[in-house]
Amino acid sequence: MAKPKETSGSISDLECMTRLADWTARKLGTPKQSPFCADVVETATGRLVMRRLNAVAAEWDPSSHAEVRVLRATCKRLKKLTLTGHTLYTTCEPCPMCMSMALWSGIDRVVFGATISDASKHCSQIYIPAKTLARKSDMKCEVVGPVARAACVSIFEDPRMQAMIRTWRHRKTPKSK
């Protein structure tokens, strides 16, 4: 496990990830609960820029992962295509789609909590580690994790989240118009 890094603003990866995991856990039992949540933070200061939860089911969109949503929203808010100077924090190791989005966005760093293996105990995953994808790219991005793994895994294991995950296995597509 890579050692969590201190940012210039003296906010560590552990503090940022704990803040994200705590907020995500507070969403348990609400209509918007998800074990997948992501923040974009200014790398130098630790200032939160944007936060998003996974919205796949709510938006009937398989690409509506927390990481994709937060990167899109941040680019729009900042009116920039490149997120150099920012770090992506995510409660779970990014899937290949999300990690590719992080790389294309030019984000400096990706810090994750739960691993792909942790998530696969609860829902389907693609077994390509984020670090492998970053290494196979010519785009520079540091990948750190797991950080605050136990806090992030506990979100998956919460009985309220387990009940929600069971519904994912039986979700039907909307009827065509």
Side-chain angles (χ1 to χ4, degrees), residues 6 10 19 24 52 57 60 73 134 137:
E6 290 286 330
S10 76
R19 175 176 66 185
T24 307
R52 289 290 185 269
W60 294 99
S137 165

Side-chain angles (χ1 to χ4, degrees), residues 57 60 122-124 161-174:
W60 294 99
H122 307 284
C123 52
S124 299
M161 194 68 252
Q162 286 293 301
M164 175 65 83
I165 290 170
R166 280 191 295 278
T167 70
W168 295 349
R169 294 185 185 114
H170 306 292
R171 184 133 347 241
K172 297 178 182 175
T173 48

Side-chain angles (χ1 to χ4, degrees), residues 25-91:
R26 286 195 305 274
K27 289 295 180 188
L28 291 169
T30 72
K32 293 190 176 192
Q33 74 179 0
S34 174
F36 304 103
C37 190
D39 284 349
V40 171
V41 169
E42 287 180 349
T43 301
T45 66
R47 182 183 73 84
L48 177 64
V49 176
M50 186 72 64
R51 173 176 287 154
R52 289 290 185 269
L53 282 163
N54 176 299
V56 168
E59 296 178 0
W60 294 99
D61 179 354
S63 73
S64 207
H65 290 199
E67 299 91 341
V68 170
R69 295 181 75 233
V70 77
L71 292 167
R72 284 177 179 160
T74 302
C75 287
K76 284 180 185 176
R77 175 179 282 171
L78 299 178
K79 295 181 177 25
K80 294 170 68 176
L81 292 175
T82 303
L83 296 178
T84 302
H86 295 85
T87 297
L88 173 68
Y89 289 90
T90 179
T91 55

